[in-house]
Amino acid sequence: MNSMQGQAQEDLAEIDRPHSFWQGMWLKFTVMLAIMLIAVAIALWQLIPPNVIPASAPATEFSAERAMQDLKEIAQKPHPIGSVAHTAVREYLVNQLKAMGLQPEVQTTTVVQPGDGGFGIGRVHNVIVRIPGRSSTGAIVIDAHYDAAENGPGASDCGSCVVTALETLRSIRAGAPLNNDVIVVFADGEENGMLGARAFATEHPWMKDVKLTFNFEAGGSRGASILYITSRHNQRLIEEFVKAIPYPRMSSFSPAFWSFFPGAQIGCDLDEYMAKGSAGLGFAYMGDTPAYHTSRDNVNEIDPRSIQHNGSYTLAGLRHFGNLDLKTIIATQNAVYFNILPNVVIHYPEAQILPFTLVVSILFVVVVYFGMRHRQLTIKGMGWGAIAFCFGAIGAVLIDLLVWWTIQQLNPALHVFLIGNYQMYLYEAGLIFLTLALMSAWYTWLFKRFHLHDLALGALLVWMMLMLASSAFMPGASYLFTVPLLFNLLVWGWIFLTDRCFSPNWQTILLLSVAAIPGIVLLLPIQVYYFASWMARFEGLVNLQGQMNIPLMAISMVFTVLLFGLLIPQLAIVRSSFAVTDRFSYREAASTASWLVPGITALIALILFSLATLNSGFSATQPRPNSMAYSLDADRGQASWISRDRHLDAWTTQFFTDKSQRQQVEFGLFPASPGFSAAAPLVNLPAPEVRRLAQENRNGGQQLRLQIVSPRLAPLVQVRLTTPGRIDRMAIDNKPLDLSQWSGSQRQNVQWIYFGLPPQGIELSLELATLQPVQILLKDCSWGLPSIPGKIFRSRPAEMMPAPGHPDYTIVTKKLTF
């Protein structure tokens, strides 16, 4: 009897052993997943701005609640350069500065900004004020542009910047005086090519004293404000900045990335100051990019916490740098810097990149040596592992691009002009899970053919190559590869020195979980906030050129595949957690359970894509953008309705016939691109005029002085000069346009745009090399559609709005010859 009971107990134990192993693996899997989710939370925590300080706080503190009172006055309506509302904002600023006991001045001048194939010119009115320091070593500028885009009240872009400067001034005035001078430049004309900042930087006598500039921007309506750009040789600047700022959010990846686009002026106004030798710090928040340059950029949409974050930079920054010797803040090298926690920053000079890289490279060699010595690794296998990772990564990103392009093609709600889309973060999350599904499926197949050690170390070999490449060519981004690689190599070194092969014991689980934290914390914010926002902007810019639905946002999945390369052993553990077996085997690929990981992640991706698509439609809170313009050719006596939209909607259809076909159209100041055009009723609108003030023939050429006027007081005029001869010199209101780098053929066709055209017009001076005639094509633009006698058109419903960069234009074209 006893023997029978003993045998039964042994049988039960044998049956229960797989179940016990399975329970143990699930517990380890749960702990590992929990640690990695904590890392995800830490990464996303960096994207949350600090809480708002109430208006009841002492005057020496920055209060976003107080700043919001100014914003409600400034951001009541669109106020682009040349508008009546723009003048009202300027007067409000002057009055507020006088109320603080300051003596503001208005710098009024015509400024010329060279551009790609032409010039941007404008009459700007900068509001500037200076607070002298006690023993100044230079001046610190806070630059905030007060003009806004034509389509929205500009609460974020850049009313938030303006009220940040105002509230900071009040706080500084309420506290102890600073040693250094503080200059606040409320710049004009930023939206038209940084005109105001250029005017101050190139013409104002105060610029010679400027040693440091703080500049603020906004690319959405919410989110953490990040230090996204700095001047070169910033090591000392970053060192002092980190000491002073309570809520720093920063990454040297950002300026390193933008260094590959030297002509992009990504620093906005800041670029003008840095070009004149000032050190510079540029800040921006970029959450909710579809609000950018639209009617949603209003006080109801903006998150006051983003303003509070801006204020934490200006107030703490001024109080710190305002008492430093500003002559010492420019170093001889750049810094590498990054957040490891929301308010904790690691920084070191670029000179330390080489020793860090050497240490990690040597560690990699040592780990590989011990892996080979213990017969757990081969050079051939690791090489194939590296090739497999590259192949999988490239394939996954290409599939992401195809899937995102397909979603864009199939969803009409994405066929509009927006910076990003209303469900951008859901789509981004869906692409992340799709990438995880693709990579886990690829490695599920690879586990049957290659050893785990070879696959994992092969991926780390790719990481090391990227570390070496970034250290040499993109040093500010090198930490993204150096730090995660270091942690993972330490774990693999421990594995090869102790167990000598991979096994899912508790020590390995915990070490792998900890090793995953740096990669998640460092890469995730870069992908979902920095890079995704930039790609959304690039997609919008490409759309503005008429190339709809280029799937640039999916490029950000490069960071996901890189992160996956660090998580290959974790995938093996997760797969084994799903398989009920009495042993650990990452090669159990034949069972259905081994495909649960790619299946589950693919299902999550499908759910996220479905939710995003179902909620991507339009409403009063998610208005549909569209475009409409009235264009009158005064020479031909013909008028047209024009839209650059991809599809007509319920509002734009009233201007077109059912048979309207897409064709090449010129909308406002944009070059020709696909759109809709239809005949429109003629409206009696006066055409822009060119009046001859003087003409003189000299040395086989001629000199002309002309006055360009818009009788209907349009604020914008585009001018194109064409001559069979050559334009030697040209000036607007006595401001020369630099043609020294233009070839002879280029000087036969010169174009420019004047923003903020004054009622009296502008004076154009020309020196022509020959007596041949010059043809002048004028196109003046005003905002709003004209009233059509006998016609009543429906107003835009609440669920629609003008597209960013596409206000309702009335355009009158006139061609003259002199």
Side-chain angles (χ1 to χ4, degrees), residues 246-539:
Y247 309 109
R249 306 288 196 275
M250 52 201 294
S251 167
S252 54
F253 167 81
S254 180
F257 174 79
W258 288 115
S259 67
F260 286 96
F261 304 90
Q265 278 203 297
I266 193 64
C268 302
D269 278 356
L270 185 62
D271 285 337
E272 299 295 336
Y273 298 92
M274 293 191 298
K276 292 300 179 179
S278 172
L281 299 167
F283 307 89
Y285 58 88
M286 300 177 290
D288 184 24
T289 60
Y292 180 70
H293 282 194
T294 71
S295 60
R296 289 184 63 248
D297 187 3
N298 58 58
V299 293
N300 297 320
E301 293 291 337
I302 192 173
D303 186 347
R305 294 180 300 171
S306 298
I307 296 177
Q308 187 67 52
H309 205 177
N310 277 347
S312 72
Y313 290 127
T314 52
L315 188 55
L318 281 183
R319 285 178 174 158
H320 184 76
F321 289 101
N323 293 308
L324 287 181
D325 183 352
L326 295 178
K327 298 174 184 176
T328 67
I329 62 173
I330 297 180
T332 58
Q333 62 180 312
N334 287 323
V336 177
Y337 52 90
F338 51 92
N339 281 86
I340 56 171
L341 290 171
N343 303 323
V344 180
V345 174
I346 299 293
H347 62 96
Y348 51 88
E350 282 188 355
Q352 294 182 9
I353 292 176
L354 178 58
F356 288 166
T357 302
L358 287 174
V359 168
V360 176
S361 299
I362 292 170
L363 179 59
F364 182 87
V365 172
V366 170
V367 170
V368 171
Y369 168 76
F370 280 107
M372 295 175 61
R373 180 179 178 182
H374 296 151
R375 300 181 183 277
Q376 300 301 319
L377 195 66
T378 65
I379 293 295
K380 181 180 179 181
M382 188 173 65
W384 279 111
I387 293 171
F389 176 68
C390 292
F391 187 83
I394 294 171
V397 172
L398 289 176
I399 292 174
D400 288 328
L401 289 166
L402 179 61
V403 167
W404 179 228
W405 179 83
T406 302
I407 290 172
Q408 289 177 310
Q409 294 299 316
L410 297 178
N411 186 355
L414 302 179
H415 298 176
V416 295
F417 293 117
L418 272 181
I419 305 301
N421 59 79
Y422 289 119
Q423 302 300 322
M424 189 176 77
Y425 293 119
L426 271 180
Y427 280 123
E428 176 82 3
L431 287 170
I432 289 174
F433 276 96
L434 173 61
T435 306
L436 294 176
L438 293 169
M439 292 298 288
S440 58
W442 173 238
Y443 273 86
T444 294
W445 182 81
L446 289 175
F447 282 153
K448 295 188 295 183
R449 293 160 175 80
F450 297 94
H451 198 281
L452 172 62
H453 298 167
D454 291 330
L455 293 173
L457 270 295
L460 295 187
L461 174 60
V462 176
W463 267 76
M464 193 183 76
M465 294 297 104
L466 292 172
M467 177 190 69
L468 295 173
S470 62
S471 298
F473 303 109
M474 199 175 174
S478 60
Y479 76 91
L480 285 175
F481 305 102
T482 306
V483 178
L485 181 59
L486 171 63
F487 276 73
N488 281 269
L489 286 174
L490 289 173
V491 173
W492 278 104
W494 178 85
I495 290 173
F496 289 147
L497 285 173
T498 56
D499 290 353
R500 300 189 178 182
C501 65
F502 184 85
S503 62
N505 55 56
W506 274 109
Q507 286 179 314
T508 302
I509 294 290
L510 292 175
L511 287 173
L512 282 172
S513 301
V514 171
I517 293 175
I520 295 171
V521 169
L522 296 182
L523 268 69
L524 193 58
I526 296 293
Q527 173 171 341
V528 303
Y529 195 62
Y530 290 70
F531 212 77
S533 298
W534 298 339
M535 291 302 105
R537 178 180 287 264
F538 284 162
E539 279 191 2

Side-chain angles (χ1 to χ4, degrees), residues 549-601:
N549 301 132
I550 306 299
L552 297 177
M553 193 175 75
I555 296 175
S556 64
M557 293 306 112
V558 167
F559 294 95
T560 301
V561 296
L562 286 173
L563 184 57
F564 187 92
L566 304 177
L567 304 178
I568 293 170
Q570 285 88 333
L571 174 64
I573 294 171
V574 172
R575 291 175 61 255
S576 296
S577 301
F578 286 116
V580 182
T581 177
D582 62 347
R583 63 190 179 86
F584 172 78
S585 175
Y586 62 87
R587 292 182 182 273
E588 290 286 340
S591 66
T592 304
S594 65
W595 291 92
L596 283 176
V597 176
I600 291 172
T601 49

Side-chain angles (χ1 to χ4, degrees), residues 697-709:
N697 297 338
R698 182 184 298 177
N699 299 326
Q702 57 181 317
Q703 294 181 341
L704 283 171
R705 276 200 314 119
L706 307 171
Q707 184 182 30
I708 298 175
V709 178

